[in-house]
């Protein structure tokens, strides 16, 4: 059976650009624990479709 872990990431927005750096550290950390990165889901979307938060999704065998 598969087990899924969800990690919320707040996107640091400056005007209309994003600082996307913390996801690399999180993905590497979960990989060391035996998880596999499988995707992301936007969890907070504000005006004009701007994504403010996402959940990174990780999978491992339970």
């Amino acid at each position: 059976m598969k087990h899924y872990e969800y990690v919320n990431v707040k996107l640091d927005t400056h005007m209309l650009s994003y600082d996307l750096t913390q996801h690399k550290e999180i993905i590497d950390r979960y990989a060391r624990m035996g998880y596999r990165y499988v995707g992301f889901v936007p969890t907070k979307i504000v005006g004009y479709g701007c994504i403010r938060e996402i959940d990174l999704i990780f999978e491992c065998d339970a």
Side-chain angles (χ1 to χ4, degrees):
M1 182 172 159
K2 301 289 184 186
H3 171 74
Y4 294 92
E5 190 77 25
Y6 305 90
V7 179
N8 185 262
V9 177
K10 292 177 182 14
L11 302 177
D12 184 16
T13 58
H14 300 292
M15 302 300 269
L16 294 176
S17 64
Y18 294 108
D19 177 17
L20 299 176
T21 56
Q22 68 182 24
H23 67 287
K24 294 177 183 178
E25 177 184 319
I26 295 169
I27 291 170
D28 289 344
R29 183 174 67 236
Y30 273 79
R32 286 191 298 273
M33 294 188 304
Y35 285 83
R36 183 176 75 88
Y37 171 72
V38 295
F40 75 95
V41 174
T43 56
K44 184 176 183 181
I45 301 172
V46 294
Y48 302 107
C50 184
I51 298 171
R52 297 298 176 122
E53 294 183 18
I54 62 173
D55 277 354
L56 298 177
I57 305 166
F58 299 91
E59 174 186 80
C60 75
D61 293 322

